[in-house]
Amino acid sequence: NPPDLSGQNSTVRAYQDRIARRMAEGPAFAGEYAVIQIDCGARCSNAYVGNVRTGEVFKLPVGGRNNLDLSLKYELSGRLMTAQWSDAGSGECAIQFFSFNDGEWIELLKHEIGDSQGCSTSLSYNLR
């Protein structure tokens, strides 16, 4: 189904074409969700998951201008979303784990891994 962006803010609606294209490619997360990451400037990106069956779109709780250098790790068969990002204010790099259940993001753990230089290292490497 095409993305249902009713009730979303104008920023999300401006991304409608990019969200629709990615959702048309099929699911990559939690069985029926496409993951969409859209640049919003230098070191900045917003991330969404779109249900390819229902069209519902949900914003990840991290990203944008507050959480720079966003990297994501996820699997088609799982509901765990791992995010690595650097805090725009403090410059600290963190890895955060979320579960996605019934349209809700549940924070499981946040682990700070040092200054923003830590985020220049790949998420896969920092998870070791």
Side-chain angles (χ1 to χ4, degrees):
N1 280 325
D4 176 7
L5 300 178
S6 58
Q8 300 280 359
N9 66 35
S10 61
T11 302
V12 177
R13 289 193 308 272
Y15 298 146
Q16 181 170 355
D17 290 341
R18 287 185 263 184
I19 292 170
R21 277 195 304 272
R22 178 56 193 95
M23 288 175 65
E25 294 173 10
F29 171 64
E32 60 186 6
Y33 293 89
V35 177
I36 306 105
Q37 197 166 353
I38 301 172
D39 289 341
C40 56
R43 301 176 52 205
C44 177
S45 67
N46 288 301
Y48 305 88
V49 295
N51 188 310
V52 299
R53 185 178 50 81
T54 67
E56 291 177 285
V57 176
F58 304 92
K59 187 173 185 331
L60 269 73
V62 293
R65 291 181 177 19
N66 293 326
N67 309 123
L68 303 174
D69 307 313
L70 180 64
S71 296
L72 303 172
K73 183 172 173 43
Y74 49 87
E75 294 181 6
L76 175 62
S77 61
R79 295 190 168 279
L80 179 68
M81 176 69 70
T82 306
Q84 175 177 282
W85 50 270
S86 60
D87 185 282
S90 70
E92 292 295 313
C93 181
I95 295 178
Q96 203 164 7
F97 300 88
F98 297 95
S99 177
F100 187 68
N101 296 307
D102 297 324
E104 297 289 326
W105 293 103
I106 300 163
E107 182 181 343
L108 303 173
L109 177 70
K110 179 180 174 187
H111 176 68
E112 293 186 8
I113 58 172
D115 65 18
S116 62
Q117 289 290 61
C119 284
S120 63
T121 304
S122 75
L123 173 58
S124 294
Y125 182 84
N126 283 336
L127 285 171
R128 299 199 284 147

